[in-house]
């Protein structure tokens, strides 16, 4: 929504081939504060700190200027983590810009992953995490019935964020 947010800068990189992440810095037009929105498609190696957060934090350190890093007041991370973040203890789920942002997690086992043939979604791998508040994710359509082929092997999730 261009009335609410202005794009400051967008960055992209990858964990490994076929496993990208994007960092989008948005200015909240009402508060004049910047939010970092991270979207990812993580790999399957279970060491979350090493394979997700160390890579993202190293990228931020090397590729984002201090002028932008110091403006970030909130971090939101979403995507296919390929693990249930609520049961994962291999990371502290911290993203470092000029300050550290701890992403909030809580037990939530809504299943969205993974089925190439349109059923059998057994895993809670898709998440939206926020440094400001716990996110309650909603499954679009709230049913596997709305999942149609051809499409992703994941059911779409959404969240409405409060300023």
């Amino acid at each position: 929504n261009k009335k609410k947010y202005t794009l400051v800068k967008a960055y992209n990189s990858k964990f490994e081939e076929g496993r990208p992440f994007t960092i989008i810095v948005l200015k909240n037009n009402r508060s004049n504060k910047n939010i970092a929105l991270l979207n990812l498609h993580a790999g399957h190696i279970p060491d979350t700190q090493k394979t997700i957060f160390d890579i993202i934090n190293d990228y931020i350190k090397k590729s984002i200027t201090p002028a932008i890093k110091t403006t970030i007041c909130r971090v939101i991370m979403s995507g296919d983590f390929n693990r249930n973040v609520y049961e994962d203890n291999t990371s502290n789920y911290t993203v470092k810009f000029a300050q550290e942002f701890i992403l909030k997690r809580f037990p939530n086992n809504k299943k969205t992953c993974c089925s190439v043939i349109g059923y059998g979604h057994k895993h809670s791998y898709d998440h939206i995490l926020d440094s400001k508040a716990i996110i309650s994710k909603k499954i679009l359509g709230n049913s596997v019935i709305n999942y149609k082929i051809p499409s992703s092997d994941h059911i779409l999730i959404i969240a409405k964020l409060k300023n």
Side-chain angles (χ1 to χ4, degrees):
N1 185 335
K2 291 182 180 183
K3 292 180 183 177
K4 292 183 180 182
Y5 298 97
T6 301
L7 175 65
V8 174
K9 186 90 173 168
Y11 306 87
N12 59 61
S13 189
K14 58 188 173 185
F15 301 111
E16 60 187 75
E17 198 60 43
R19 303 291 179 182
F21 67 90
T22 303
I23 301 171
I24 301 169
V25 179
L26 300 171
K27 181 181 83 173
N28 182 317
N29 294 330
R30 189 170 10 158
S31 70
N32 228 17
K33 295 181 178 180
N34 287 349
I35 297 170
L37 176 62
L38 287 71
N39 188 270
L40 61 88
H41 186 185
H44 294 272
I45 300 168
D47 186 338
T48 302
Q49 187 65 42
K50 182 178 177 183
T51 63
I52 297 176
F53 287 92
D54 287 351
I55 293 169
I56 288 172
N57 287 323
D58 187 55
Y59 179 85
I60 291 168
K61 181 178 180 180
K62 292 178 179 175
S63 303
I64 299 180
T65 64
I68 290 181
K69 282 191 254 190
T70 59
T71 66
I72 304 298
C73 68
R74 182 179 185 182
V75 175
I76 300 165
M77 181 183 277
S78 66
D80 176 1
F81 284 78
N82 272 311
R83 68 209 72 215
N84 186 335
V85 302
Y86 309 109
E87 296 174 355
D88 174 46
N89 292 314
T90 64
S91 173
N92 58 12
Y93 285 80
T94 300
V95 178
K96 301 172 187 172
F97 284 91
Q99 63 177 321
E100 290 188 356
F101 295 90
I102 299 171
L103 301 175
K104 294 173 177 41
R105 305 174 288 149
F106 75 108
N108 182 341
N109 291 313
K110 293 181 181 176
K111 314 291 192 243
T112 59
C113 174
C114 312
S115 177
V116 176
I117 57 174
Y119 61 88
H121 294 88
K122 300 177 187 175
H123 304 291
S124 180
Y125 287 174
D126 303 291
H127 305 284
I128 303 171
L129 307 176
D130 189 350
S131 64
K132 183 176 179 181
I134 291 173
I135 297 295
S136 177
K137 69 182 180 185
K138 306 288 183 202
I139 298 174
L140 190 64
N142 210 24
S143 171
V144 176
I145 294 167
N146 293 310
Y147 177 89
K148 303 289 183 212
I149 294 178
S151 65
S152 169
D153 62 337
H154 294 245
I155 300 171
L156 182 64
I157 61 172
I158 62 172
K160 186 172 183 177
L161 305 174
K162 296 180 180 179
N163 288 333

